[in-house]
């Protein structure tokens, strides 16, 4: 039944009841009106209004549920839908809303995917150019300086050595920038090497003790999936080191049925769920990008556990 | 690794070098540096990995100096090919990549040395000579990674050194593990950089990480690279 007819019927019911009362009940309305009659009429009106309000509320309940979901829905946790029952306008609105959520989630996933991919592609391009052009030219300069210094008179040699050191430092800086921009090791040597190298970096530069547990039968993954696994591991390790004051972290990659599961568990202070920062949102967006799911839970003994489950693509046709 | 092929150095006194880098200016720079040394001679130059493998087939060379990032075949792939085809050939990687994973992969692929381009002017010649003597030329980041890892495992009772370290060596070991450079360690301990380097070499020897194969085996055992 449509919303219009439902409200119409409710009103008709109330008004009909009032009319029936007037017709068959032993009441008369005098002109001018008597006090008792006025009291009865006003009392009747009040009863009618209350009944109408109660019935309307009942009739509009599905809309209230819809409004509540609309105000709380979070596109980063997809899959929240309202149950639809029966036909008519209200279920139709809910159905349309559910469909709209579906579309929004998809649009959001594709647009953030596009943004992330564009960002990674740009980083990769800059890293490549720095590495291939700037880095190589500076290497050539360094070698040229060394040769000139070897053949220069002593006073000039001193100066050339200084220039050599400056060049070396700049080259080191270029290399560091390249490394920060893009985990080249991921492209060249694969996910396990890249995450191994990442954990070694954290073990060297922080006080954390990092343990690695990798399954030996990890399947081949799409490059985007590997990149997401890498970035999530990176973000989790950064959180563990920076915010959680963790001492021990375990990074595990497991192959379970048709999924790969990355787990980063630390023994730090843990995080409070409502305070998920930009880093966590970023991880969720990346997880959506590859059709994976991200779970952040308190680890068994305090600390935090971040788990990313990524589907393994079936062999290409 | 027992090697039946004697390096040509002992026969002619000159080390014949194959140089592969996709950047012509770098190649030229490296060639000029190497040619300054009377015992080093660049006999072939390649612009990519596949060309390097090809040239190694047609030229008599004792040492291949390979860049890692090259088109067609990367330096690592080329090293694998070369190590399989010409077991007597020594391989040295010359690269921008400051990452121990590349270093261990290079060892696994058959290279015996790894030189960063940012220190090529300083270390390349020494690394070439070390390679021909079949000694590993270690890059500092890799030594730090190895030693840190070793200390971790020793603490958990998984490793024990073959020989007892001297107190000085233990000091150096700790500082290396903390990521200090030789220069910093020298300043901290009031000794010369040369002495620090000697301590480091002794350390690796005593920890049983002396040559390419031992290092590779250790890296695999410790989970630093895949088997």
């Amino acid at each position: 039944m449509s919303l219009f007819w439902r409200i119409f019927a409710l009103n008709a019911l109330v008004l009909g009841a009032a009319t029936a009362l007037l017709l068959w009940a032993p009441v008369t309305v005098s002109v001018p009106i008597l006090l008792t009659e006025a009291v009865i009429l006003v009392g009747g009106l009040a009863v009618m209004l209350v009944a109408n309000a109660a019935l309307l509320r009942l009739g509009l309940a599905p809309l209230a549920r819809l409004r509540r979901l609309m105000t709380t829905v979070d596109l980063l946790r997809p899959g929240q839908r309202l149950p639809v029952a029966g036909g008519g306008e209200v279920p139709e609105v809910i159905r349309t809303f559910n469909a709209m959520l579906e579309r929004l989630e998809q649009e959001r996933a594709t647009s953030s995917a596009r943004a992330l991919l564009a960002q990674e592609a740009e980083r990769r391009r800059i890293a490549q150019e720095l590495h291939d052009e700037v880095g190589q030219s500076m290497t050539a300069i360094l070698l040229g300086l060394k040769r000139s210094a070897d053949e220069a008179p002593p006073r000039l040699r001193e100066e050339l050595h200084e220039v050599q050191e400056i060049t070396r430092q700049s080259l080191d800086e270029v290399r560091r920038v390249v490394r920060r921009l893009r985990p080249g090791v991921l492209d060249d040597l694969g996910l396990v090497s890249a995450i191994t190298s990442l954990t070694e970096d954290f073990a060297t530069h922080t006080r954390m003790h990092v343990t690695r547990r990798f399954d030996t039968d990890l399947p081949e993954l799409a490059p985007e999936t590997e990149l997401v696994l890498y970035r999530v591991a990176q973000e989790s390790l950064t959180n563990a080191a920076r915010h959680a004051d963790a001492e021990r972290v375990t990074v595990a990659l497991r192959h379970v049925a048709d999924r790969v599961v990355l787990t980063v568990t630390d023994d730090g202070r843990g995080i409070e769920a409502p305070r998920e920062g930009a880093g966590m949102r970023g991880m969720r967006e990346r997880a959506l990008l590859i059709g994976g799911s991200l779970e952040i839970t308190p680890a068994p003994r305090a600390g935090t556990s971040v788990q990313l489950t990524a589907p393994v693509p079936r062999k290409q046709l | 690794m027992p090697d039946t092929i004697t390096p040509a150095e002992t026969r002619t006194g000159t080390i014949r070098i194959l140089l592969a880098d996709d950047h012509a200016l770098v190649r030229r720079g490296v060639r000029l540096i190497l040619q300054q040394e009377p015992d080093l001679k660049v006999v072939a130059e390649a612009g990519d990995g596949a060309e390097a493998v090809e040239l190694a087939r047609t030229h008599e060379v004792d040492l291949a100096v390979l860049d890692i990032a090259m088109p067609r075949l990367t330096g690592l792939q080329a090293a694998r090919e070369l190590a399989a085809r010409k077991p007597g050939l020594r391989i040295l990687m010359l690269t921008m990549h400051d990452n121990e994973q590349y270093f261990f992969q290079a060892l696994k692929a058959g290279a015996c040395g790894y030189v960063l381009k940012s220190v090529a002017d300083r270390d390349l010649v020494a690394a070439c000579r070390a390679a021909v003597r079949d000694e590993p030329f270690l890059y500092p980041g890799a030594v730090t990674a190895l030693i840190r890892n070793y200390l971790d495992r020793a603490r958990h009772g998984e490793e024990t050194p073959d020989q007892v370290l001297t107190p000085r060596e233990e000091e150096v070991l700790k500082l290396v593990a903390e990521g200090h450079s030789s220069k910093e360690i020298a300043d901290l301990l009031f000794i010369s950089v040369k002495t620090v380097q000697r301590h480091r070499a002794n350390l690796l020897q005593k920890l049983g990480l002396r040559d390419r194969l031992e290092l590779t085996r250790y890296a695999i055992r410790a989970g630093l690279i895949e088997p």
Side-chain angles (χ1 to χ4, degrees):
Chain A
M1 202 201 301
S2 80
L3 192 61
F4 170 79
W5 286 112
R6 188 198 283 239
I7 291 172
F8 181 80
L10 290 172
N11 281 330
L13 186 72
V14 173
L15 289 175
T19 314
L21 268 171
L22 275 179
L23 284 179
W24 284 291
V27 286
T28 44
V29 180
S30 331
V31 179
I33 195 163
L34 294 176
L35 182 65
T36 45
E37 287 169 358
V39 169
I40 289 173
L41 276 180
V42 170
L45 179 66
V47 169
M48 262 163 57
L49 287 178
V50 168
N52 208 2
L55 288 170
L56 274 179
R57 175 164 286 251
L58 197 73
L60 295 176
L63 284 180
R65 278 205 299 279
L66 183 64
R67 200 200 58 227
R68 268 201 303 283
L69 177 65
M70 279 171 145
T71 49
T72 56
V73 73
D74 178 0
L75 286 179
L76 284 180
R77 293 166 208 259
Q80 303 173 57
R81 299 287 182 273
L82 275 181
V84 190
E89 253 165 28
V90 174
E92 199 47 50
V93 168
I94 294 177
R95 216 172 282 129
T96 316
F97 174 70
N98 282 349
M100 188 188 76
L101 267 188
E102 184 85 40
R103 243 188 3 259
L104 275 179
E105 274 167 14
Q106 260 170 23
E107 298 252 320
R108 185 184 169 111
T110 41
S111 73
S112 58
R114 226 177 289 132
L116 280 174
L117 285 180
Q119 187 194 37
E120 293 286 357
E122 188 65 7
R123 284 182 165 199
R124 184 200 194 113
R125 193 184 61 75
I126 297 172
Q128 196 118 35
E129 265 173 34
L130 278 176
H131 178 275
D132 291 352
E133 303 304 326
V134 182
Q136 305 300 342
S137 306
M138 286 177 72
T139 305
I141 294 172
L142 193 61
L143 295 168
L145 282 172
K146 143 95 172 151
R147 226 173 78 80
S148 308
D150 286 350
E151 285 169 12
R155 206 186 56 74
L156 191 57
R157 185 177 306 166
E158 204 55 29
E159 263 176 49
L160 284 172
H161 277 312
E162 271 169 35
V163 182
Q164 236 173 309
E165 287 315 309
I166 297 170
T167 314
R168 193 191 318 287
Q169 280 161 20
S170 315
L171 190 52
D172 277 331
E173 195 49 51
V174 169
R175 211 175 52 201
R176 266 194 292 277
V177 172
V178 168
R179 199 171 163 167
R180 269 200 302 271
L181 277 173
R182 173 84 189 163
V185 70
L186 188 61
D187 292 335
D188 294 339
L189 307 176
L191 183 66
V192 168
S193 289
I195 293 189
T196 304
S197 155
L198 188 68
T199 55
E200 284 293 310
D201 274 357
F202 271 92
T204 313
H205 298 298
T206 68
R207 300 197 157 273
M208 292 195 301
H209 180 96
V210 190
T211 314
R212 291 180 295 270
R213 288 184 211 289
F214 299 148
D215 276 0
T216 44
D217 64 333
L218 290 171
E220 216 159 280
L221 295 168
E224 308 88 72
T225 310
E226 291 202 331
L227 189 57
V228 169
L229 287 165
Y230 179 87
R231 293 288 190 210
V232 168
Q234 191 176 31
E235 181 67 31
S236 310
L237 284 168
T238 308
N239 283 343
R242 198 176 294 163
H243 306 304
D245 266 338
E247 277 176 25
R248 291 176 169 277
V249 188
T250 306
V251 180
L253 269 178
R254 282 173 303 129
H255 184 197
V256 185
D258 58 346
R259 354 210 102 227
V260 167
V261 183
L262 166 80
T263 322
V264 182
T265 315
D266 70 54
D267 64 351
R269 277 202 306 261
I271 42 143
E272 292 150 44
R275 299 187 31 242
E276 287 194 5
M280 298 269 177
R281 286 183 75 86
M283 289 204 278
R284 288 199 188 284
E285 273 174 9
R286 284 173 197 277
L288 286 184
L289 177 65
I290 52 163
S293 64
L294 187 81
E295 271 179 53
I296 301 167
T297 44
R301 267 158 289 156
T304 309
S305 169
V306 176
Q307 179 165 318
L308 172 63
T309 309
V312 177
R314 289 197 198 87
K315 288 276 169 256
Q316 296 295 308
L317 305 171
Chain B
M1 178 172 60
D3 208 314
T4 47
I5 301 164
T6 330
E9 181 199 24
T10 50
R11 290 200 301 270
T12 63
T14 315
I15 303 168
R16 290 161 300 178
I17 298 173
L18 161 68
L19 189 58
D21 193 310
D22 56 335
H23 209 278
L25 278 176
V26 175
R27 234 163 40 224
R28 177 171 171 275
V30 172
R31 188 183 64 231
L32 292 175
I33 293 284
L34 295 179
Q35 305 278 41
Q36 277 182 311
E37 307 297 316
D39 56 336
L40 305 177
K41 187 167 195 293
V42 176
V43 295
E45 284 185 37
D48 63 58
E51 198 184 344
V53 173
E54 185 58 32
L55 285 175
R57 218 162 49 83
T58 52
H59 288 66
E60 280 283 313
V61 287
D62 309 303
L63 173 69
V65 178
L66 308 175
D67 182 18
I68 287 186
M70 287 192 291
R72 295 218 283 163
L73 279 188
T74 68
L76 290 174
Q77 291 166 324
R80 224 165 279 138
E81 281 283 302
L82 290 173
R85 291 192 191 181
K86 306 191 86 178
L89 178 69
R90 304 281 178 251
I91 301 165
L92 190 65
M93 309 309 289
L94 176 64
T95 172
M96 282 275 286
H97 293 301
D98 176 17
N99 185 319
E100 14 7 291
Q101 283 296 309
Y102 286 98
F103 168 73
F104 292 127
Q105 294 290 348
L107 287 184
K108 220 176 100 187
C112 51
Y114 191 95
V115 180
L116 288 181
K117 282 187 172 169
S118 62
V119 290
D121 55 332
R122 214 171 52 198
D123 291 355
L124 184 60
V125 170
C128 286
R129 295 204 178 111
V132 172
R133 285 195 306 269
D134 206 12
E135 289 170 10
F137 192 88
L138 291 187
Y139 112 92
V143 178
T144 311
L146 277 170
I147 288 183
R148 270 192 62 87
N149 192 278
Y150 186 93
L151 284 178
D152 258 3
R153 288 159 59 88
R155 212 173 299 136
H156 292 89
E158 291 172 50
E159 292 283 338
T160 43
D162 303 342
Q163 291 166 302
V164 181
L165 303 178
T166 65
R168 195 52 140 187
E169 281 167 349
E170 273 183 12
E171 273 179 311
V172 175
L173 186 71
K174 197 170 152 289
L175 291 171
V176 170
E178 284 167 8
H180 294 285
S181 70
S182 293
K183 175 88 177 52
E184 287 164 358
I185 297 174
D187 290 345
L188 278 169
L189 299 181
F190 303 106
I191 51 180
S192 74
V193 176
K194 278 255 164 357
T195 315
V196 175
Q197 280 165 348
R198 206 179 58 239
H199 281 311
R200 271 163 68 134
N202 286 346
L203 272 174
L204 290 175
Q205 180 105 20
K206 286 190 179 175
L207 300 181
L209 303 171
R210 177 173 60 241
D211 64 29
R212 184 176 80 77
L213 281 181
E214 278 184 356
L215 283 167
T216 315
R217 263 189 233 123
Y218 180 83
I220 291 174
R221 200 166 69 226
L224 291 166
I225 46 170
E226 293 164 83

